[in-house]
Amino acid sequence: MQHFDLQGSLALFTSRLDTLGHLLRKAQTHFDGNQSFLDHRLAPDMLDLRTQVVFACNQPRHFVLWCQGQPVPDARAEVATVEEALGHVQSTRALLLTLDGTDAHVPTRARIALGPMLNADLSAHEYVNDFLVPNFYFHLVTTYAILRMAGLPIGKADYMLHMRGLLDRGAS
């Protein structure tokens, strides 16, 4: 049975939420109060940017609730402005900090609803690494892509923000 790394999961979600906040702050400055970019989507059948942010935040929120043995609510947050989106990212990050970093009380299984009459019973490893993390990255990357498409001048360095502390700027 594979085991997931609670500390690694916390670090991943926290650092990538920092990236999401960074992208939104850059957009807030660049678009100078114009909130219309929140309505952009990559394709007509995809969700808009504001929903991508909420869904990105849902993954670490669901992770915390699962680790605490709490039910995952069906309702989703609504964000109407960049300020609300940034607040949602920050409150999600704060929620992650409520975990004590030990996995003594973490469930070994997760049962998730994927649609009407469609459920999955997953190990802890599968739930975190095969469901939550890929969904988180999907919505983070989609947010990045929508912002690029809307005209925000961002690049890979903005997306890979978590790498800044790992850079060696000295001579080799």
Side-chain angles (χ1 to χ4, degrees):
M1 174 191 272
Q2 290 183 312
H3 184 71
F4 81 97
D5 175 12
L6 178 63
Q7 289 294 342
S9 297
L10 287 171
L12 182 143
F13 283 133
T14 301
S15 67
R16 289 359 175 247
L17 284 169
D18 290 345
T19 297
L20 183 58
H22 167 76
L23 295 171
L24 290 170
R25 284 187 299 280
K26 282 192 88 158
Q28 184 178 40
T29 300
H30 178 77
F31 294 114
D32 194 27
N34 182 347
Q35 306 277 321
S36 65
F37 70 92
L38 291 169
D39 296 322
H40 289 156
R41 56 187 77 222
L42 288 181
D45 65 339
M46 292 184 76
L47 299 170
D48 60 22
L49 181 103
R50 74 183 80 242
T51 307
Q52 298 298 336
V53 171
V54 169
F55 282 15
C57 290
N58 281 352
Q59 308 316 305
R61 285 177 174 274
H62 293 176
F63 174 73
V64 171
L65 293 171
W66 171 73
C67 285
Q68 294 174 338
Q70 302 292 323
V72 175
D74 287 336
R76 71 172 189 204
E78 295 289 331
V79 295
T81 65
V82 180
E83 292 79 15
E84 288 178 10
L86 283 165
H88 193 60
V89 171
Q90 284 306 100
S91 69
T92 301
R93 195 178 189 289
L95 184 61
L96 281 169
L97 297 176
T98 66
L99 290 180
D100 65 9
T102 66
D103 62 352
H105 298 87
V106 175
T108 59
R109 311 247 359 127
R111 182 164 179 79
I112 58 172
L114 298 170
M117 305 292 290
L118 185 60
N119 300 298
D121 185 34
L122 307 172
S123 70
H125 175 83
E126 291 167 330
Y127 179 55
V128 173
N129 295 302
D130 296 336
F131 184 76
L132 291 177
V133 171
N135 273 298
F136 180 75
Y137 275 117
F138 174 85
H139 295 292
L140 179 60
V141 170
T142 303
T143 297
Y144 174 89
I146 291 170
L147 289 170
R148 283 285 308 251
M149 184 184 71
L152 183 64
I154 51 176
K156 194 167 186 178
D158 295 293
Y159 180 78
M160 301 292 287
L161 195 63
H162 60 281
M163 295 293 294
R164 280 189 181 166
L166 303 174
L167 297 177
D168 180 5
R169 296 188 188 269
S172 51

